[in-house]
Amino acid sequence: MASSSLIFAISAIFFALRFSSAHSLTCTSHKLPGKDFPNCKDLPTLGATLRYSYNATNNSLSIAYMATPAKPGGWVSWAINPTGQGMQGAQAIIAFKSNGTVVAKTYNISSYKSIVESKLSFDVWDLSAVESDGVITILATVKVPGKPDQLNQVWQVGPSVTGGRPDKHDFTPANLASKSTLSVSTSTSARENTTTGGDKNGGVSVTNNRFGVGFFAGLLMLVASCVNF
């Protein structure tokens, strides 16, 4: 009985660590082979990162957005909202697997009820997406709408795609808080890391922010109780 309980506890720790590792995306823990972006931000929710480079000559922004879909077979998205904050009105790039290949498409989110593929209100080029170990990366260059120091960015992850169309994302606090103002005019050649939450590991996330120290302490206590039993 004690042996079975111990095996169960160890298995729980193994899968929790594996899950947290797979969802931990930071600027330093996940590299982008073959691409060099001078700036990188650890976005404060959904475990996503944004690498970018601003070209003041033609007022363009090259980005590499990395995130893990909410579930296997889901989607990831990065957007600029030229008219306000939040998803409604956002000019979005959404990437997902279609027939075994990752594709990136553009969507003008005119309302929450309608997510239809369409052109954006600004130019976008060099658009592509890649997937590795469950992480999807969106690569694109966009013409910056408005002032480069006041870009309303929105990012998101979704659980599924039906008939080639992204389904609704979850409405958890993390999903609803996935927006911020991005200032690219202050970009420098040095890599910028804006990880929140007091990360003391040089930007490397040891565990996913969905699991705190207390969670893993509880698992260790479970193992100890099984051994004593």
Side-chain angles (χ1 to χ4, degrees):
M1 178 67 177
S3 176
S4 298
S5 299
L6 180 59
I7 292 174
F8 172 79
I10 293 175
S11 298
I13 292 179
F14 172 78
F15 284 109
L17 288 171
R18 183 176 180 182
F19 178 84
S20 64
S21 175
H23 285 74
S24 298
L25 295 180
T26 67
C27 291
T28 51
S29 67
H30 278 69
K31 303 300 182 182
L32 192 62
K35 296 286 184 179
D36 184 22
F37 291 87
N39 304 280
C40 185
K41 288 182 180 293
D42 294 327
L43 299 177
T45 66
L46 302 179
T49 64
L50 179 71
R51 289 171 168 79
Y52 63 95
S53 177
Y54 175 63
N55 187 339
T57 303
N58 62 357
N59 196 31
S60 66
L61 179 68
S62 296
I63 64 100
Y65 166 77
M66 303 178 70
T68 304
K71 293 181 180 179
W75 53 268
V76 306
S77 172
W78 182 82
I80 293 176
N81 192 331
T83 60
Q85 297 182 341
M87 185 61 71
Q88 189 165 357
Q91 306 297 296
I93 301 171
I94 303 180
F96 52 87
K97 274 190 174 181
S98 177
N99 297 321
T101 302
V102 180
V103 296
K105 300 182 178 183
T106 56
Y107 296 79
N108 186 333
I109 312 298
S110 57
S111 71
Y112 290 106
K113 296 180 180 180
S114 176
I115 302 180
V116 179
E117 183 180 358
S118 62
K119 289 186 177 181
L120 303 185
S121 62
F122 47 79
D123 292 336
V124 55
W125 60 97
D126 294 338
L127 178 60
S128 64
V130 295
E131 186 267 344
S132 177
D133 295 329
V135 178
I136 294 180
T137 302
I138 293 176
L139 298 161
T141 300
V142 301
K143 188 74 171 180
V144 175
K147 298 180 180 179
D149 59 344
Q150 296 178 352
L151 291 180
N152 295 318
Q153 68 168 339
V154 186
W155 61 97
Q156 198 58 254
V157 298
S160 57
V161 176
T162 302
R165 298 181 63 176
D167 295 321
K168 289 182 179 180
H169 61 75
D170 295 331
F171 287 86
T172 67
N175 292 98
L176 298 177
S178 58
K179 55 187 178 181
S180 69
T181 300
L182 177 66
S183 176
V184 298
S185 61
T186 57
S187 302
T188 64
S189 58
R191 185 170 298 282
E192 180 181 2
N193 189 333
T194 58
T195 303
T196 59
D199 185 2
K200 297 180 180 180
N201 300 291
V204 179
S205 177
V206 177
T207 60
N208 183 19
N209 57 13
R210 299 179 188 179
F211 298 96
V213 174
F215 173 81
F216 289 100
L219 286 178
L220 291 174
M221 291 177 64
L222 176 61
V223 172
S225 66
C226 290
V227 173
N228 292 332
F229 181 81

